[in-house]
Amino acid sequence: ASYGDFIYVITGNGTDWSRSNIPSPNAADLVCLNKNTGAIVWEDNSPGKNILFGEFASPLVIEIGGVAQVIAPQGDGWVRSFEAETGKLLWKFDINRKSARRHFDRNFFVNSAVFYQGRVYVACGQDREAGEGPGRLACLDPTKRGDISLEIEDQPGVAKPNPNSGAIWHFDEFGRSMTSVAIHEGLVIAVDLSGYVYCLDAVTGQRYWRHDTRAQVWASPLIADGKIYVGNEDGYLDVLAHAKEKKLVAHHEFTGPIYSSPIFANGVLYIAQNDYLFAIREEARKAPSTLEPSRISDWPQWRGPDRSNASRETGLLEQWPEEGPPLLWTINGLGLGIHTVSIVGGRVFATG
C-alpha cells in the first residue's frame, strides 16, 4: 500500500513449521519506506513473540477525519491502525474472543481489511492446513482510539465488555476465512473457508442469505454488474445475484481448482486456475476498441480500483449458457494459479 511518498509493507515474519518457534521475534512486522530513497521511515513489531503463524495480510491505507491511517491485520490476531507518517499507534482490535486462550484456538489474518463508507470490515481465519473452525467478521469504526476490542480482560481469563469498543457490529456465525469481503451498494459479501457465501447489510450486519458452494473457498468474491462471482476448490464458479434475496444465476465447472479471485476489466472476466487463465466476454468476437467507453477500465491493483473487490463496469453476461460462457481466449502454462491477475494498458500481468 502507498500514501504520498510512503510505501507500507508487511514483512511476512512468523514461526517455523512447528508453529511454536519464532526465529526472529524482534524483527519488524510492518515497515514504512520512503518510495524515493528506500529509507526506512518507521517500523512496527507489535506482534513480537505472540505471532501465531505468520503475517499474510496486506496493509490498507485510509484517510478519515483528516488523519491518514495504515491499517494492518497482524499475525497475533489483532488489527492495528497507525498514523501514516509517524507510525504512532491509533487503535487496536482483538478479532478473537478472550476465551480463545490456547494458541491454536486464536485466529489471525490471511486476508486484508476493506474500507467502505467510513467503516473498516475485516474477517479472521487461519491457513488451510489448520482446517475449518469458528471465525468472526467485524465492522469497525476507525475514528475510535485506543483498545477498541469487543472485550477487555480484568485479569487473565476473565473478560468483560469493553466500554470503548469500536465494533459497530460483528457476525459470529462466520467460519474461519482466507478471503477479503466484497462490498457494494450497501451489501457485504463474505465467504468462509468452508465455502459458505453470506450476504449481510453493511450498516447493521443483518444476514440476508447464505449459499453453500459445497467446497472450500480460498479466493475473495468479486462483485460485477449486479452479480457475485465465487470460485471454489472443486473448480466450480458460482454466480449469484447481488441482491437481498438469494438467486443462483449459474454454476459452472472449470478444469481445476479456483484458488484466485475472478476480476472484471475492460469488459472481460478473467479466471485463473492451476495452469490456465480464462478470458470470458459476452461479445467474444468484438474488438475491445468497439466497446462502449464506460466499459473501459483497468484493474491495476489487487482487489480492484477501490480495493473493495467490486468492479464499476457493466456489460458482463446476463445469463450463462448451459454449454458454458463464451471464451475470448485461454492460455496454459500459468503456474499454480494462487494469484489474481492485474490488467493495465491492454496487458495482463500474472505471477506463477
Side-chain angles (χ1 to χ4, degrees), residues 62-283:
I62 69 170
E63 192 167 348
I64 187 168
V67 179
Q69 302 185 26
V70 180
I71 298 171
Q74 295 188 300
D76 57 351
W78 287 75
V79 186
R80 293 181 177 88
S81 175
F82 303 90
E83 193 173 79
E85 296 186 359
T86 66
K88 175 187 175 183
L89 180 66
L90 298 175
W91 55 264
K92 60 181 181 178
F93 178 84
D94 187 359
I95 196 72
N96 290 284
R97 303 160 183 82
K98 296 300 184 185
S99 59
R101 301 196 59 80
R102 294 181 300 178
H103 185 88
F104 52 82
D105 287 336
R106 286 185 59 82
N107 291 320
F108 48 93
F109 305 96
V110 188
N111 49 10
S112 298
V114 174
F115 183 61
Y116 178 78
Q117 294 187 352
R119 298 178 176 187
V120 173
Y121 299 79
V122 66
C124 63
Q126 297 190 28
D127 58 293
R128 178 177 181 260
E129 285 73 16
E132 300 168 15
R136 171 175 281 169
L137 169 63
C139 170
L140 307 177
D141 177 1
T143 66
K144 299 281 283 186
R145 295 293 181 265
D147 186 344
I148 65 170
S149 304
L150 281 160
E151 302 172 304
I152 54 176
E153 287 186 320
D154 274 341
Q155 54 184 320
V158 180
K160 66 179 183 180
N162 181 5
N164 187 51
S165 176
I168 298 169
W169 56 260
H170 60 99
F171 182 64
D172 289 354
E173 295 178 42
F174 203 53
R176 289 175 179 165
S177 180
M178 296 175 62
T179 71
S180 299
V181 301
I183 312 176
H184 186 58
E185 294 182 345
L187 298 181
V188 177
I189 307 302
V191 187
D192 64 20
L193 180 61
S194 301
Y196 289 107
V197 184
Y198 294 87
C199 176
L200 309 172
D201 187 283
V203 175
T204 67
Q206 176 187 349
R207 182 184 123 174
Y208 291 120
W209 52 260
R210 184 180 79 165
H211 171 72
D212 187 1
T213 69
R214 301 185 182 278
Q216 287 192 348
V217 173
W218 296 20
S220 298
L222 167 71
I223 299 173
D225 198 13
K227 300 178 191 65
I228 302 159
Y229 296 81
V230 182
N232 69 21
E233 190 178 28
D234 281 355
Y236 285 93
L237 181 75
D238 281 4
V239 184
L240 299 118
H242 182 250
K244 293 181 180 180
E245 293 186 5
K246 177 182 167 182
K247 179 184 178 181
L248 182 65
V249 177
H251 176 71
H252 183 72
E253 184 177 11
F254 284 79
T255 58
I258 301 174
Y259 290 134
S260 63
S261 301
I263 71 165
F264 183 45
N266 300 325
V268 180
L269 178 69
Y270 297 90
I271 298 173
Q273 55 90 64
N274 274 2
D275 228 21
Y276 290 84
L277 175 62
F278 298 90
I280 297 166
R281 189 172 70 207
E282 188 164 18
E283 312 94 328

